[in-house]
């Protein structure tokens, strides 16, 4: 697009002493732009590095205080990494182009349906298929249980929208009743004032789900329960006793599923149940307008939902210049400090949407308490190797945006690691960076080395930075085991994605001829093979 109308300087802004035109290619920003004011970092500290003045002020005045990292150390470290790794980043992109040119030429020379044997030979001879990895084990250490042990939902949310990202962080717990009542899980009208009949139907669905996951002894069901009480046993342990409409009592079939409670009179105010590392909270209040309609006084069923959330600087975010990146970086910093909040209007009142605290119950197993996170474990998705930025310049050249992302993301997370946060994100001392759009194990090895360099410059222990590999490019899919081997000390997930993976399949095979319609792609053999191979590699 013609961006010339956007290049007119604003007379209200201070004019730069020198203006410089930069032409950017490779398709990621094919437009001529005018560099904004750049603050000159002292040459003794950062060599040829120059930084957008507002970005530098953000890093120096907001990001770094409290981390123990001096601004000169940060910028000198970034400059050192860029001097060494920016040319190698460019070489990896050139290698992509080289391989793609070979594929394009082969398809033009061999029109029609490719011969599988000849095509496989091309992939092997060109280096598109990497040599098989020797036997290895993924040996990432200090990975939080939300990623290492418990299977649960994961959100993706643009980090540049503060309200959205706070909601995503708080999505660790959600109302099962709201999810049933307010959606098409139930037929009929859900608009307007609360409808008791629809509310009763929502409870019916919730009872069935409780019966499935937390069954009661004998023939009793959760729809029979009229009261929840807690009996204290010897040694400080407690048992859950459920009164039934028949006049009898029932218990959980598996008493160990009773995890915790909040005492109340005459019944518990809250009962915490657990299964497979996930939890459900039954909130009891007969005086509440919803609790008053339920036989046992249950006002809500809270379900542990999004165990983790990707705070996205890539696909779902829109960060095209330094000002946008400062917003994204600032929100990530606020999350890592536990202080990100958003004022908003709700129901005619001004409220402050902020990050939830942890939740604590009296332990059912004995003296003490049970505390569970009130927020999803937060991961940060940086941009891919193909993205460049003029917010930081090395001489007259733009730099790989992902290298800048890694330094800023890690530095912000130091507030969490060092206990400077109001709430804790990682309880194991790790920082989780999701890396998208990587093509093959060479780029995985590059990312692992980049993370080591960042750790060294910021004074973090080796392998603090973990990597989540987005398996969304064909060269990564076909070499996934080799990619895992290249990142084995840092790897915490290998993730599939239909849209990006399909897009790369189209891009890679553009010269082969017309592609299937989108609706047919998910039923294509290559797509099911892609999904199954990802799982096979992950569990091997």
């Amino acid at each position: 697009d013609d961006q010339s109308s956007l290049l007119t300087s604003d007379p209200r802004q201070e004019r730069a002493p020198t203006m410089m035109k930069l032409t950017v290619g490779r398709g990621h920003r094919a437009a001529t732009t005018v560099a904004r004011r750049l603050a000159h970092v002292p040459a003794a500290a950062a060599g040829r590095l120059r930084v957008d003045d507002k970005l530098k002020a953000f890093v120096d005045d907001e990001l770094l205080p409290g981390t123990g990292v001096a601004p000169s150390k940060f910028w000198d470290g970034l400059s050192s990494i860029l001097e060494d790794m920016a040319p190698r980043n460019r070489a990896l992109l050139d290698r992509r182009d080289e391989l793609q040119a070979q594929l394009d030429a082969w398809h033009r020379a061999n029109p029609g349906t490719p011969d599988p044997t000849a095509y496989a030979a091309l992939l092997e001879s060109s280096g598109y298929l990497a040599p098989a990895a020797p036997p290895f084990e993924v040996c990432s250490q200090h990975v939080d249980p939300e990623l290492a042990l418990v299977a649960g939902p994961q959100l993706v949310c643009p980090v540049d929208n503060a309200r959205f990202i706070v909601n995503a962080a708080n999505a660790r717990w959600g109302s099962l009743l709201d999810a049933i009542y307010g959606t098409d899980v139930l037929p009929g009208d859900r608009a307007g004032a609360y409808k008791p009949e629809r509310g009763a139907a929502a409870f019916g669905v919730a009872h069935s789900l409780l019966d499935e996951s937390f069954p009661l002894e004998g023939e009793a069901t959760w729809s029979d329960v009229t009261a929840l009480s807690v009996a204290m046993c010897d040694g400080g342990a407690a048992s859950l006793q459920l009164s039934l409409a028949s006049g009898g009592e029932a218990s959980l079939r598996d008493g160990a599923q009773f995890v915790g409670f909040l005492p109340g009179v005459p019944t518990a105010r809250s009962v915490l149940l657990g299964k497979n590392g996930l939890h459900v909270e039954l909130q009891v209040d007969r005086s509440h307008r919803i609790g008053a309609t339920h036989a046992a006084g249950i006002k809500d069923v809270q379900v542990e939902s999004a165990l983790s959330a990707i705070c996205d600087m890539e696909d779902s975010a829109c960060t095209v210049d330094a000002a946008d990146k400062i917003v994204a970086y600032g929100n990530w910093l606020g999350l890592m400090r536990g202080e990100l909040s958003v004022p908003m209007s709700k129901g005619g009142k001004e409220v402050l949407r902020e990050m939830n605290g942890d939740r604590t119950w009296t332990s059912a197993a004995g003296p003490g308490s049970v505390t569970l996170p009130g927020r999803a474990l937060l991961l940060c998705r940086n941009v891919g190797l193909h993205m460049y930025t003029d917010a930081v310049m090395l001489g007259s050249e733009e730099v790989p945006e992902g290298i800048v992302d890694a330094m800023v993301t890690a530095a912000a997370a130091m507030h969490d690691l060092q206990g400077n946060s109001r709430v804790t994100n990682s309880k194991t001392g790790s920082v989780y960076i999701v890396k998208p759009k990587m093509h093959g194990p060479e780029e995985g090895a590059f990312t692992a080395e980049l993370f080591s360099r960042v750790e060294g410059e910021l004074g973090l222990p080796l392998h603090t930075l973990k990597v989540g590999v987005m398996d969304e490019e064909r060269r990564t899919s076909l070499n996934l085991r080799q990619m895992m081997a290249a990142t084995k000390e840092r790897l915490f997930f290998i993730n599939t994605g239909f849209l990006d993976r399909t897009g790369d399949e189209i891009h890679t095979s553009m010269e082969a001829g017309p592609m299937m319609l989108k609706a047919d792609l998910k039923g294509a053999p290559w797509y099911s093979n892609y999904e199954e191979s990802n799982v096979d590699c992950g569990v091997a």
Side-chain angles (χ1 to χ4, degrees):
D1 294 336
D2 182 8
Q3 300 293 315
S4 59
S5 62
L6 301 179
L7 304 180
T8 305
S9 60
D10 187 339
R12 296 171 297 177
Q13 307 245 345
E14 178 184 342
R15 295 296 300 274
T18 305
M19 300 301 289
M20 202 170 50
K21 286 191 175 183
L22 304 173
T23 301
V24 185
R26 304 198 64 82
H28 55 272
R29 194 185 299 151
T32 299
T33 60
V34 176
R36 61 184 57 81
R37 286 183 296 128
L38 297 174
H40 289 264
V41 180
R48 297 190 295 135
L49 198 69
R50 297 189 300 155
V51 187
D52 177 274
D53 58 350
K54 291 185 174 60
L55 177 60
K56 185 174 186 301
F58 165 78
V59 171
D60 294 356
D61 302 335
E62 299 181 47
L63 178 72
L64 295 179
T67 65
V69 178
S72 60
K73 173 64 175 173
F74 180 93
W75 295 116
D76 187 52
L78 179 58
S79 180
S80 175
I81 294 172
L82 287 168
E83 290 274 5
D84 181 30
M85 301 194 76
R88 293 161 58 193
N89 192 103
R90 177 64 65 184
L92 289 168
L93 298 180
D94 291 341
R95 176 61 174 159
R96 292 186 188 182
D97 292 345
E98 175 189 339
L99 289 172
Q100 187 60 53
Q102 292 184 53
L103 293 175
D104 290 345
W106 190 90
H107 283 302
R108 286 192 292 267
N110 299 272
T113 303
D115 175 71
T117 301
Y119 190 66
L122 168 70
L123 297 181
E124 291 178 359
S125 63
S126 66
Y128 194 98
L129 290 179
F136 69 95
E137 290 186 2
V138 173
C139 51
S140 307
Q141 299 292 314
H142 310 297
V143 179
D144 284 89
E146 290 92 336
L147 298 171
L149 300 175
V150 185
Q154 181 178 88
L155 293 179
V156 179
C157 183
V159 74
D160 58 339
N161 187 308
R163 181 169 65 88
F164 286 6
I165 203 65
V166 170
N167 287 345
N170 289 341
R172 179 64 173 253
W173 294 88
S175 170
L176 177 62
L177 295 180
D178 284 352
I180 299 169
Y181 183 99
T183 67
D184 59 4
V185 170
L186 294 176
D189 181 21
R190 59 183 183 269
Y194 180 74
K195 300 174 178 59
E197 299 83 3
R198 188 175 180 85
F203 269 116
V205 176
H207 291 154
S208 296
L209 293 172
L210 290 172
D211 289 335
E212 180 180 343
S213 295
F214 306 101
L216 307 182
E217 290 181 329
E219 300 297 321
T221 67
W222 280 95
S223 61
D224 301 327
V225 176
T226 58
L228 298 86
S229 59
V230 175
M232 302 306 298
C233 310
D234 294 339
S239 64
L240 179 63
Q241 298 180 340
L242 306 172
S243 300
L244 304 177
S246 63
E249 291 189 345
S251 300
L252 290 168
R253 189 177 300 170
D254 179 1
Q257 290 186 323
F258 177 40
V259 176
F261 64 98
L262 295 178
V265 178
T267 60
R269 291 180 290 125
S270 168
V271 169
L272 182 68
L273 306 176
K275 181 179 181 179
N276 296 331
L278 293 170
H279 300 84
V280 170
E281 182 192 30
L282 307 180
Q283 297 180 346
V284 182
D285 184 356
R286 293 186 183 276
S287 66
H288 188 272
R289 68 186 183 95
I290 304 299
T293 68
H294 188 266
I298 295 175
K299 71 170 184 177
D300 201 1
V301 180
Q302 288 274 315
V303 178
E304 197 173 12
S305 303
L307 296 189
S308 60
I310 297 175
C311 306
D312 193 14
M313 294 186 184
E314 192 227 9
D315 274 355
S316 66
C318 183
T319 54
V320 298
D321 58 19
D324 294 335
K325 293 298 290 194
I326 291 169
V327 172
Y329 291 154
N331 286 347
W332 174 248
L333 174 62
L335 293 169
M336 292 297 96
R337 286 176 172 167
E339 62 186 21
L340 187 63
S341 61
V342 183
M344 55 182 296
S345 297
K346 187 174 183 179
K349 297 181 180 180
E350 295 297 318
V351 297
L352 187 66
R353 181 71 53 81
E354 56 187 350
M355 299 172 68
N356 291 337
D358 292 341
R359 298 185 173 200
T360 300
W361 296 261
T362 300
S363 174
S369 60
V370 174
T371 298
L372 297 175
R375 304 153 311 286
L377 180 69
L378 301 177
L379 330 173
C380 187
R381 181 153 66 186
N382 291 179
V383 302
L385 275 70
H386 61 295
M387 297 298 293
Y388 278 67
T389 181
D390 61 359
V392 177
M393 304 282 288
L394 194 61
S396 61
E397 297 293 325
E398 292 187 339
V399 304
E401 189 173 336
I403 294 179
V404 181
D405 277 357
M407 278 288 283
V408 175
T409 297
M414 291 176 71
H415 292 278
D416 179 60
L417 300 178
Q418 296 175 357
N420 301 335
S421 178
R422 182 180 66 87
V423 294
T424 300
N425 187 48
S426 172
K427 292 179 170 56
T428 61
S430 290
V431 181
Y432 301 100
I433 299 177
V434 179
K435 198 65 181 176
K437 307 295 187 294
M438 289 193 289
H439 288 232
E442 299 90 349
E443 296 188 12
F446 176 87
T447 296
E449 182 182 346
L450 169 62
F451 286 5
S452 293
R453 293 288 299 272
V454 170
E455 289 162 344
E457 297 296 346
L458 297 179
L460 295 171
L462 185 65
H463 301 148
T464 295
L465 305 184
K466 305 298 192 292
V467 62
V469 171
M470 297 298 297
D471 175 12
E472 57 187 2
E473 309 295 317
R474 194 175 77 160
R475 190 150 62 105
T476 287
S477 297
L478 297 182
N479 298 288
L480 186 55
R481 291 184 192 276
Q482 296 91 324
M483 171 68 82
M484 295 172 66
T487 57
K488 63 181 184 296
E489 294 91 357
R490 301 179 181 275
L491 191 63
F492 68 86
F493 77 37
I494 48 173
N495 211 347
T496 60
F498 171 72
L499 290 178
D500 286 295
R501 181 63 182 82
T502 302
D504 190 61
E505 190 72 24
I506 294 171
H507 174 264
T508 302
S509 305
M510 185 70 72
E511 295 291 340
M515 295 295 292
M516 302 173 72
L517 295 176
K518 179 181 177 182
D520 299 326
L521 281 169
K522 282 195 172 182
W526 75 263
Y527 185 76
S528 59
N529 290 339
Y530 156 63
E531 292 278 4
E532 291 170 8
S533 175
N534 180 276
V535 175
D536 289 344
C537 290
V539 301

